[in-house]
Amino acid sequence: MFTIRRSEERGHADHGWLDSHHTFSFANYYDPKHMGFRALRVINDDRVAPGRGFGAHPHRDMEILSYVVDGRLAHKDSMGHKEEIGPNEIQHMSAGSGTVHSEFNGSASEPVHFLQIWIEPRTTGTPPRYEQLGFAAEEKQNKLKLLASPDREPGAAQINQDARVWVTELAEGAQVDYALDTNRYAWVHVIEGKVELNGHVLSTGDAAAVSKEANLKLLGLGGEKNEVMIFDLA
């Protein structure tokens, strides 16, 4: 079963320095029908103006992933990390028992576009952790690249939840298949471009909640870059 959520149905907040679309309820956007999907709690599609960002603020008991589409994101946290993340990297912060961090546009002249993702943890009160992993662009081109997993897997962040996060960038006419156990669920989010998912056409910002399906077929429909993220959830 596929339930489609169109881009324009998302929450939207334009603060001038921050233009954000909320797939699920977040901050001043509240929709009791869209509080999350399984353990997936937040997908914020954020564009931050040059030199601006989110000042130091606390988190606890949440698995937080950041994925940059364009630009550079500067990170600093109470664990002592001071890093920058760009495209073809995954940043993971397991907030656990508590941490404080800030995220700023790493450029004084160019905007940054990134996805901020929250996944509820399997257990709470664990020690906070940070990791950042890069990969070659070719690893996601017309194939699936694993970004996060509950297991320690090469090139993927290890998250405290029974969930796997994949990304693919499809050329027009290229297809990838993903086998989904029928007792699991998937959330498919189009970062940019246009794809066909098992006969459903999805464009930038669109998403699909998937259940009781054995196989996902993604076909690139538009231009050279059709980027999609798949969440495989218990």
Side-chain angles (χ1 to χ4, degrees):
M1 181 172 71
F2 295 85
T3 302
I4 308 302
R5 180 153 165 78
R6 297 296 178 188
S7 174
E8 60 270 18
E9 298 171 7
R10 299 178 295 174
H12 180 225
D14 188 348
H15 301 285
W17 65 271
L18 168 66
D19 188 3
S20 184
H21 287 86
H22 309 306
T23 295
F24 305 114
S25 293
F26 187 87
N28 292 330
Y29 167 61
Y30 174 72
D31 183 343
K33 295 180 180 178
H34 296 97
M35 297 300 295
F37 182 73
R38 312 301 293 177
L40 180 59
R41 178 61 188 85
V42 166
I43 303 177
N44 287 345
D45 189 345
D46 291 340
R47 288 170 171 81
V48 180
R52 303 296 298 271
F54 306 91
H57 57 283
H59 289 288
R60 64 177 297 130
D61 294 326
M62 194 63 72
E63 301 297 296
I64 301 171
L65 300 171
S66 295
Y67 183 79
V68 173
V69 182
D70 294 297
R72 304 290 300 178
L73 188 66
H75 168 93
K76 187 176 181 180
D77 64 45
S78 57
M79 293 177 278
H81 301 101
K82 189 176 181 181
E83 309 287 349
E84 274 202 2
I85 177 177
N88 304 318
E89 294 185 80
I90 186 68
Q91 180 199 77
H92 167 229
M93 188 173 68
S94 183
S97 58
T99 189
V100 175
H101 77 125
S102 63
E103 307 288 337
F104 275 81
N105 187 336
S107 171
S109 58
E110 300 294 330
V112 61
H113 175 202
F114 73 104
L115 298 185
Q116 179 186 159
I117 298 156
W118 294 7
I119 297 174
E120 295 173 349
R122 179 165 42 193
T123 57
T124 60
T126 57
R129 292 187 299 113
Y130 177 88
E131 55 186 331
Q132 181 175 328
L133 301 112
F135 57 92
E138 293 79 12
E139 293 183 53
K140 67 178 181 181
Q141 289 172 350
N142 303 323
K143 63 186 76 171
L144 288 162
K145 163 62 182 172
L146 182 64
L147 296 179
S149 163
D151 305 313
R152 176 57 67 190
E153 300 190 45
Q158 185 177 23
I159 58 175
N160 179 21
Q161 182 51 269
D162 182 9
R164 284 174 172 79
V165 184
W166 303 80
V167 69
T168 184
E169 186 180 294
L170 297 171
E172 186 174 5
Q175 179 175 306
V176 295
D177 291 0
Y178 184 77
L180 182 70
D181 288 348
T182 53
N183 63 341
R184 293 184 66 85
Y185 301 78
W187 185 270
V188 181
H189 177 86
V190 181
I191 299 172
E192 57 183 350
K194 188 176 183 180
V195 299
E196 181 180 294
L197 170 65
N198 293 57
H200 302 275
V201 176
L202 305 175
S203 298
T204 301
D206 291 346
V210 185
S211 61
K212 297 181 174 63
E213 296 288 338
N215 191 46
L216 306 182
K217 293 182 180 292
L218 277 169
L219 174 67
L221 294 180
E224 297 181 354
K225 184 178 178 181
N226 305 287
E227 193 164 15
V228 182
M229 197 169 279
I230 298 174
F231 300 84
D232 183 332
L233 305 159

